[in-house]
């Protein structure tokens, strides 16, 4: 049984053509509207297989409310060494300057969670740009435009019991640096 990716999306079961070994579809952290596509709405969902490995799939609906169908193949899966334990927590950003979506996600491997970046014009084709923030780091989201010729990203390095939010910048979406604390976590 696959649970609903959104509260507005009815529960689904894999069809005959979908004989994958999913265990469950996780709700994405984004609770906003589905992404309007060409004549349909699209929404990312995290699917966890029976081994516990996650991948990112796309659910599609003509009206954004009913008859959601999950694509037959994942958009992002653990194909790279840095994703050996899966791809999770996607954050989508439409970037008008590029005319495409950028996806930050957590790439899990035996060395820990890292922030990875991918791009897609249509949620059917995807180009992985690789790890952009090394482990242990996660929960990243990009701003949709440049600021003073630099791309900015909010992220959360994992360090002990803290969960501070940081800001990083990049001239080209590949090389990231200039870490700056943005918001400190409340003391325990």
């Amino acid at each position: 049984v696959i649970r609903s990716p959104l509260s507005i999306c009815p529960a689904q079961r894999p069809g005959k053509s979908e004989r994958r070994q999913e265990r469950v579809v996780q709700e994405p952290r984004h609770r906003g509207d589905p992404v309007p596509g060409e004549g349909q709405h699209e929404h990312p969902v995290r699917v966890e297989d029976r081994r516990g490995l996650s991948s990112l799939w796309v659910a599609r609906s003509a009206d954004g409310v009913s008859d959601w169908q999950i694509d037959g193949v994942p958009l992002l899966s653990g194909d790279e060494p840095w994703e050996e334990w899966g791809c999770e927590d996607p954050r989508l950003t439409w970037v008008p300057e590029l005319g495409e979506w950028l996806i930050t996600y957590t790439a899990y491997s035996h060395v820990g969670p890292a922030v990875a970046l991918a791009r897609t014009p249509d949620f059917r084709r995807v180009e992985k740009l690789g790890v952009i923030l090394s482990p242990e780091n996660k929960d990243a989201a990009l701003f949709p435009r440049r600021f003073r010729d630099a791309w900015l990203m909010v992220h959360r390095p994992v360090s002990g019991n803290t969960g501070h939010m940081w800001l990083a910048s990049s001239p080209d979406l590949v090389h990231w640096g200039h870490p700056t604390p943005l918001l400190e976590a409340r003391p325990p």
Side-chain angles (χ1 to χ4, degrees):
V1 174
I2 296 179
R3 288 186 293 192
S4 167
L6 293 171
S7 59
I8 60 171
C9 178
Q12 304 174 40
R13 295 178 186 263
K16 290 180 182 175
S17 64
E18 301 178 69
R19 298 210 182 269
R20 303 179 300 260
Q21 294 193 9
E22 299 89 21
R23 181 170 59 178
V24 70
V25 173
Q26 305 284 336
E27 284 191 37
R29 299 216 191 282
H30 168 69
R31 299 250 184 212
D33 293 331
V35 175
E38 292 185 24
Q40 64 186 351
H41 294 263
E42 298 148 333
H43 206 289
V45 290
R46 178 181 142 203
V47 175
E48 186 177 296
D49 69 17
R50 296 187 191 282
R51 300 167 298 165
L53 305 180
S54 296
S55 53
L56 176 63
W57 297 67
V58 178
R60 300 176 194 278
S61 166
D63 62 7
V65 176
S66 62
D67 194 30
W68 286 92
Q69 300 297 315
I70 298 175
D71 287 355
V73 295
L75 183 68
L76 291 171
S77 60
D79 303 326
E80 305 293 341
W82 62 83
E83 304 164 333
E84 68 182 322
W85 293 350
C87 304
E88 300 182 0
D89 299 332
R91 306 299 201 280
L92 308 175
T93 304
W94 171 251
V95 181
E97 176 183 336
L98 303 175
E100 61 187 357
W101 293 90
L102 294 179
I103 306 168
T104 55
Y105 63 99
T106 302
Y108 278 96
S109 73
H110 70 280
V111 295
V115 174
L117 182 64
R119 60 195 319 160
T120 181
D122 57 11
F123 292 100
R124 295 190 189 281
R125 298 168 288 146
V126 68
E127 176 189 3
K128 291 181 181 179
L129 301 177
V131 170
I132 56 173
L133 294 175
S134 62
E136 292 207 353
N137 212 315
K138 55 194 285 184
D139 302 331
L142 291 167
F143 286 87
R145 67 178 188 87
R146 297 176 201 242
F147 295 87
R148 295 187 184 142
D149 295 324
W151 298 100
L152 296 180
M153 175 175 49
V154 176
H155 62 103
R156 189 173 60 86
V158 180
S159 175
N161 293 332
T162 64
H164 307 311
M165 293 174 62
W166 288 70
L167 194 63
S169 64
S170 170
D172 58 9
L173 294 171
V174 176
H175 303 93
W176 290 86
H178 309 294
T180 306
L182 182 65
L183 182 64
E184 290 188 25
R186 285 183 249 160

